């Protein structure tokens, strides 16, 4: 997978909050999240391309893009990336 930028490390708005999540499609800083989904991988690649389980956080930006922020477990290591980047307007995020 090509390297995708989905964090802004040095945000000036609130640096004490940590890295700012930005849209991987347009770098928009106004992003929203939806309730996460946990999938069991059963050591058999059933949740994501790795063997273990994964957490998917549905995200969207205010310019009409959506994606999943994924943390996946594989043989004692956890990997984070974005998946399923798409054009999709949403307005039902968590507050
Ligand atoms: Zn966007």
């Amino acid at each position: 997978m090509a390297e995708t930028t989905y964090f802004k490390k040095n945000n000036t708005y609130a640096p004490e909050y940590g890295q700012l999540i930005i849209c991987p499609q347009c770098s928009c800083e106004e992003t929203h999240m939806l309730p996460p989904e946990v999938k069991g991988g059963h050591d058999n690649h059933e949740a994501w391309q790795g063997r273990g389980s994964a957490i998917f956080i549905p995200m969207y930006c205010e310019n009409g893009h959506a994606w999943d922020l994924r943390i996946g477990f594989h043989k004692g290591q956890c990997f984070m990336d974005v998946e399923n980047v798409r054009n999709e307007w949403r307005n039902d995020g968590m507050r």
Side-chain angles (χ1 to χ4, degrees), residues 14-31:
E16 70 276 17
Y17 288 178
Q19 298 180 23
L20 178 67
I21 296 174
I22 61 175
C23 174
Q25 185 84 354
C26 72
S27 299
C28 174
E29 296 183 1
E30 285 72 43
T31 61

Side-chain angles (χ1 to χ4, degrees), residues 55-75:
I55 298 170
F56 296 87
I57 305 172
M59 306 283 304
Y60 64 90
C61 84
E62 295 186 0
N63 288 331
H65 305 114
W67 66 97
D68 296 320
L69 181 62
R70 181 265 302 146
I71 300 171
F73 181 79
H74 178 80
K75 296 176 68 174

Side-chain angles (χ1 to χ4, degrees), residues 8-50:
K8 186 175 183 181
K9 287 190 173 183
N10 299 310
N11 83 84
T12 56
Y13 173 71
E16 70 276 17
Y17 288 178
Q19 298 180 23
L20 178 67
I21 296 174
I22 61 175
C23 174
Q25 185 84 354
C26 72
S27 299
C28 174
E29 296 183 1
E30 285 72 43
T31 61
H32 301 250
M33 63 182 180
L34 295 166
E37 179 182 2
V38 180
K39 294 182 181 177
H42 308 110
D43 207 27
N44 193 32
H45 308 276
E46 294 177 23
W48 69 299
Q49 64 184 5

